[in-house]
Amino acid sequence: MQRILVAEDDPVLSMIYQITLSEAGFDVMLCADGQAAFEALDSFAPDLVITDHSMPRMSGGELVSAVRRRRPQAATLMASGVNARLLKDDQHADARLEKPVTPGSLLQTVRALEALGCVSV
């Protein structure tokens, strides 16, 4: 089963990620901020890290950079309410997802990463 680590400080959106990805067959771990996700990188060993852009303690951009150093084999997906093309520090993410996130847009983006060989089920 594919492991997806989610860093999202909005509890409603976290539940959307949890339900959508779990029902699609993924093993999901939720973290309330980037620092908690960073601390879970080694123990959870995710294949994909989905992160919000703006979070307390560690931003999504900082988390993506940390994932690149710590688990370079893991794919990254940056989600943001700000137009993704305007975000300077998400340029290293493998994919971007603009909020509001829907179950359909989430799965479509994860499947696109699969098609590119970044993530496999």
Side-chain angles (χ1 to χ4, degrees), residues 77-120:
L77 170 58
M78 175 76 71
S80 179
V82 177
N83 183 323
R85 289 173 192 64
L86 301 177
L87 297 175
K88 183 178 180 181
D89 63 349
D90 80 335
Q91 62 188 339
H92 300 293
D94 294 306
R96 289 148 196 81
L97 184 60
E98 289 188 41
K99 292 181 179 179
V101 174
T102 64
S105 66
L106 175 61
L107 283 178
Q108 181 181 15
T109 305
V110 170
R111 298 296 184 209
L113 284 168
E114 286 181 315
L116 293 173
C118 297
V119 180
S120 60

Side-chain angles (χ1 to χ4, degrees), residues 30-104:
L30 299 177
C31 295
D33 60 49
Q35 183 64 39
F38 174 74
E39 292 168 5
L41 283 175
D42 292 328
S43 61
F44 186 66
D47 301 295
L48 172 62
V49 176
I50 299 174
T51 182
D52 183 14
H53 179 265
S54 300
M55 290 181 294
R57 299 199 313 149
M58 179 183 278
S59 73
E62 292 169 323
L63 180 58
V64 167
S65 294
V67 170
R68 289 282 171 254
R69 289 188 308 274
R70 192 98 167 243
R71 292 198 54 81
Q73 69 277 21
T76 55
L77 170 58
M78 175 76 71
S80 179
V82 177
N83 183 323
R85 289 173 192 64
L86 301 177
L87 297 175
K88 183 178 180 181
D89 63 349
D90 80 335
Q91 62 188 339
H92 300 293
D94 294 306
R96 289 148 196 81
L97 184 60
E98 289 188 41
K99 292 181 179 179
V101 174
T102 64

